[in-house]
Structure formats: structure tokens, C-alpha cells
Amino acid sequence: MADGATARAERALEGARPKVFWLDPEIEGHDAPEAAPSLTGDVHADLVVVGGGFSGLWTALVAKERDPERDVVLVEARTAGWAASGRNGGFCAASLTHGYDNGAERWPEEIAELERQGRANLDGIEEAVRRYGIECEFERTGEILAATAPWQAEGFEESAAALHALGYEAQVWDAERTRQEVDSPTYVGALYEPDAVAMIHPAKLAWGLRAACLESGVRIFENTPVRAIRSTHSGLRLETSGGALHASKVAWGTGAFPGPLRRLKHYLAPVYDYALMTEPLSDEQMASIGWKGRQGLSDASNFFHYYRLTSDNRILWGGYDVVHHYGGKVRPEYDQRPETFQKLAEHFFENFPQLEGVRFTHTWGGVIDTCSRFSGFFGTAYQGRLAYAVGYTGLGVGATRFGAQVMLDRLDGLDTERTRLRMVREKPLPFPPEPVRSLGIGLTLRATAAADRNDGRRNLWLRTLDAMGLGFDS
């Protein structure tokens, strides 16, 4: 990067608050609910849901929709939506498989059904948002996948044809058409899916689901981490610092924090993702970039950026860097990474040079529960008394509702269109133990960055991982 570009990014970052924009109480309308009490003593329920992110909230709510008489308790180690569910970019996608291409490669015989169920799941989210009156800035804008180098656009026509064959709309744009929609000198083309993604305010969705759960009769205890799981003659006992929960069934939706459910640690590699938020753009600045359709965007490199507009015309700009700490360490100090913010700011002005002078108001990061197949996986433990859904790898805003239904199907012993999917019945390959895990991740990240620099050409290491069904990128 030239010195001028570095200085421009540094100026834009001056004064940015090291806070998650969506969770910042200083922003008008960001009124988090008062925390529920912590659990004390012994509490009994039919179903206990562990985790107050999207996975747990959808599970508790759908459980009450299926059976209003079911006694449901939700416990959260901190407060609802504080982790990945309140820190993401707000892309609520129909895909259950981290994109059509990933799903078609791994489950070609059922990709049509996976896409159908994914679209139905997004429809269900939209319907629930309306039915419960959740004010989460839901906009079904679709998503533009932008190519910033010719090699990135090579598969667009094939992907669009495959989606057309399934009955879904997809458009392939050249550079001129792409820049008519959103103007960046970096674009050489794009693939646009107009109905497959909605933009949302993630924290407001989490808070709205929490309110809907309470209105439906779910009992919620916050600041209540589960320390241990014990089998009993009647079910499971979940021990906390202030008491214990007793239930015949448990749904575990804790994302990158497996806690005492140790088996998940073999399948999950916690990685950090980072984002910036600009100040609100003026009318003139908005006119300079277009973007009247307000679509979500990402570029098609392996290490990609994702970006979108907020309701007050700020730009969220995130992604690119993937940071894994040795041993899968997760610490509050990792939420801020100045070198990544500097890099992201430089990339922002490369993409939108006409926005020189725009300032960033917020910088933040958060941990993602990634797995080797990039999409959520599901299972049971304790003789079927506990079900889990984890590993969404950054695309869980929408897919967690599907995972919630899978958990409930399994806990209730149901044979459904969801539980019959091979994608649901199979698990990803586990990551190796340390130090091989961190060495392998580091090697993969370096090789993937090299592929981006070399027109997408993947070296022997990446081709070997591809053949094994393993992967690791942003």
C-alpha cells in the first residue's frame, strides 16, 4: 500500500469507538432489554435450551409454537445476542450450506431439496418477524456477489444456470451493469440473487426473538453459564454456579462456546472476524455510489469482504482477515485488532475511492464457530436426551432457525424432511489436535492467500484438502 493510502485509512479510523455498532447503547434505537435474573436454586422444565443467541432463541420459540403447554427454560451465559448473534454483518441468507456451490459440491444429490428448504426457512423467518412485530429492519434485498478479478467471475454463468434449473432467479452482470447498480472501479462483473438474502439488524432480531419467547411463556435466565452436565434417572441435570436445571430434554446452541459438551471441541475451530462501520453517508455520497437496491454485497475472492447499508445509510465493511489463535483461545482482548482494521480501511477506499473523507465510527470483532465443511452440523448426546446444532461458520443468521427445528425434531423423535437429509445425518471431518491444528490452519490460510494472488490457482495442499472435503477461508 502507498503511504497516502495508509494515511487516508488512519485518518478515517481516528476516533472510532472500539464497540460493536449493533450493541452500542449510544446509538439511537439500540435499547437492549434489561437482563433477566440469574438462575438460583433448582429449576425443573420439560425442555432446557442452552444459549441465548439465534440458535437458542429460535429453538425456544419454535418449541412453544409446536406445543404451547411445553415448559421451556432458556439459559444464557451472558445476555441474549451478545456474541456472534449481535456482532455479525446482518446477512440473513436462505442457504443452509454456506452458499449454493458449497452445498452442490458436498451433497449434489440433494442440493435441490436443500435449496428448497433453505428458501422456505427464509420465508419462515420473514413471516415470524411480521407475526411477532419484531422491528429488526428486515429488508429482503438479495445479494450481489461481485468479481474484482476476471478469474472470480468464471463460474457465474454455471451457477446461474444451476439456480435457474431449480426455479430460482439469478442474474449475471458484466462490469458496466454491475457498476450501474453499485459503482466501484474494482468490479469486473457480478452474480445477483434477488430473493435469497435479507438484510437485518442482528441485535434487534435477537432482542425481538427474546421478547417473543417471553410473551410465549419461555422462562429466561441470563448471566447463567452451564458448568456441567449430569445424567439422572429422569433426564439431565445442568449445573450452574447458582443452582441446577433439571429436564428430560436439552437443546444445546452455544456456537463457539461448547462448554462442558466436550465432543464439540474436536469439530470446531474458533476464528475471529472483524468489521468497521462508517458514519452515515450524505445524499451526495450515496449518489456517488448508487446502491439504490440496498443489496448485500460480497466479493468473490477466497478472502472476501462483505458489506451492506444500514437503515441510516452507514456502510458496514467486514471480513477478509481470518484469525485463529493457538489452542482455539477465545479472549475479550481479541475483539479489537488494529492491524486488521487498518487493512480493512485501506481496502474500503480501494473499493470506494469516491468516499474519501468518510470516517469510521465503530470497530469490532467476534468469534465464529467454524467447522471443516463450512455449514452447520447436528447431533445428539446422552442417549438422545440432548441435541445440538453448531458450526455455521458465519452464515448462521438464517440457518440457525433450520437448526433449531432439527434439534426439536430429534428430541421429539420425529422423522421429518429435515432429519432425512444426508447433510443433517452426516458430520464434518474433525480438526486434528494441537499443534497440528494450528499449523494446518496457518498453512491453509497462507496457501489460500496465494491462490487469491495467482488468479485462483490452488496449490497441491489446497487441492488435497478439497479432495478430503476440508477447507478453511474467510
Side-chain angles (χ1 to χ4, degrees):
M1 286 289 176
D3 289 342
T6 300
R8 178 174 58 185
E10 290 173 348
R11 287 194 300 271
L13 288 164
E14 287 177 359
R17 295 199 288 276
K19 292 183 178 180
V20 183
F21 169 79
W22 310 117
L23 301 172
D24 185 354
E26 296 181 26
I27 301 298
E28 184 179 355
H30 289 194
D31 303 316
E34 182 179 351
S38 302
L39 183 141
T40 57
D42 280 44
V43 171
H44 295 258
D46 299 323
L47 171 69
V48 169
V49 180
V50 181
F54 291 140
S55 191
L57 291 166
W58 279 119
T59 303
L61 185 59
V62 173
K64 292 295 283 188
E65 289 175 345
R66 290 187 180 187
D67 180 2
E69 300 304 314
R70 179 156 32 188
D71 184 13
V72 179
V73 167
L74 182 147
V75 289
E76 161 57 40
R78 296 276 292 274
T79 55
W82 79 274
S85 295
R87 295 166 186 256
N88 61 80
F91 287 63
C92 186
S95 178
L96 306 175
T97 60
H98 211 278
Y100 172 85
D101 290 342
N102 186 54
E105 181 179 346
R106 297 181 186 279
W107 304 285
E109 78 286 357
E110 62 184 26
I111 186 60
E113 179 63 13
L114 287 165
E115 285 290 310
R116 185 194 68 78
Q117 291 196 33
R119 307 281 172 141
N121 182 64
L122 181 55
D123 290 342
I125 292 172
E126 183 171 11
E127 190 277 331
V129 165
R130 289 175 177 168
R131 176 157 44 94
Y132 290 107
I134 298 174
E135 299 293 338
C136 63
E137 301 167 18
F138 188 100
E139 297 180 89
R140 196 148 177 178
T141 60
E143 183 176 17
I144 299 170
L145 179 62
T148 57
W151 67 268
Q152 296 172 14
E154 291 173 357
F156 285 174
E157 292 284 358
E158 183 179 351
S159 295
L163 289 166
H164 289 154
L166 297 177
Y168 305 119
E169 186 178 355
Q171 302 171 18
V172 178
W173 296 341
D174 61 12
E176 181 181 3
R177 176 67 183 87
T178 305
R179 293 188 66 176
Q180 287 174 358
E181 199 68 37
V182 183
D183 191 13
S184 170
T186 67
Y187 298 157
V188 300
L191 175 67
Y192 174 46
E193 293 186 68
D195 193 48
V197 177
M199 296 292 104
I200 56 110
H201 185 304
K204 288 183 178 180
L205 176 59
W207 299 335
L209 290 172
R210 179 186 183 276
C213 284
L214 290 170
E215 291 170 5
S216 299
V218 176
R219 291 181 287 163
I220 295 178
F221 298 96
E222 293 178 298
N223 295 302
T224 302
V226 174
R227 306 295 189 189
I229 308 170
R230 312 288 185 197
S231 291
T232 68
H233 70 279
S234 59
L236 294 175
R237 171 187 169 95
L238 307 181
E239 298 177 358
T240 73
S241 56
L245 293 150
H246 304 262
S248 58
K249 299 173 183 177
V250 172
W252 198 270
T254 58
F257 303 91
L261 195 60
R262 296 185 181 89
R263 67 182 64 196
L264 296 182
K265 296 178 181 179
H266 303 297
Y267 295 100
L268 299 177
V271 298
Y272 276 81
D273 178 50
Y274 295 92
L276 309 175
M277 186 70 84
T278 73
E279 63 191 348
L281 302 189
S282 67
D283 291 342
E284 292 77 14
Q285 289 167 331
M286 284 297 300
S288 74
I289 58 175
W291 214 346
K292 293 180 180 178
R294 302 183 56 82
Q295 304 93 335
L297 277 108
S298 62
D299 59 67
S301 60
N302 292 302
F303 287 163
F304 62 89
H305 307 87
Y306 56 86
Y307 42 115
R308 49 78 56 93
L309 292 167
T310 64
S311 61
D312 59 350
N313 287 337
R314 300 169 185 261
I315 296 177
L316 180 148
W317 179 266
Y320 193 77
D321 265 355
V322 179
V323 181
H324 173 264
H325 296 279
Y326 185 87
K329 292 184 178 68
V330 176
R331 294 176 176 171
E333 56 264 34
Y334 297 157
D335 291 350
Q336 295 292 318
R337 196 168 190 265
E339 59 265 44
T340 291
F341 299 141
Q342 175 71 24
K343 188 185 304 181
L344 283 172
E346 291 173 358
H347 293 175
F348 176 87
F349 290 112
E350 281 184 13
N351 198 76
F352 292 126
Q354 64 270 49
L355 295 181
E356 183 167 0
V358 165
R359 299 279 183 155
F360 296 104
T361 62
H362 293 76
T363 64
W364 74 93
V367 66
I368 294 172
D369 55 328
T370 193
C371 70
S372 63
R373 75 182 196 187
F374 294 137
S375 58
F377 66 94
F378 318 92
T380 59
Y382 296 94
Q383 294 79 48
R385 294 171 173 173
L386 182 150
Y388 57 82
V390 290
Y392 293 101
T393 317
L395 209 68
V397 176
T400 45
R401 179 179 176 275
F402 171 85
Q405 297 197 74
V406 170
M407 285 193 283
L408 292 171
D409 288 348
R410 288 190 158 170
L411 289 172
D412 293 340
L414 302 178
D415 176 25
T416 69
E417 62 180 8
R418 291 174 290 270
T419 60
R420 289 191 290 272
L421 291 168
R422 184 162 69 90
M423 188 269 281
V424 168
R425 291 183 284 107
E426 293 179 343
K427 288 189 176 60
L429 289 172
F431 291 108
E434 296 288 13
V436 177
R437 172 183 291 210
S438 289
L439 290 171
I441 290 173
L443 178 59
T444 302
L445 293 177
R446 290 191 294 273
T448 305
D452 278 342
R453 293 191 300 269
N454 292 287
D455 296 330
R457 290 189 292 271
R458 299 171 74 80
N459 65 13
L460 179 61
W461 173 254
L462 293 180
R463 293 197 304 272
T464 301
L465 294 180
D466 292 341
M468 296 172 62
L470 291 165
F472 203 91
D473 64 19
S474 67

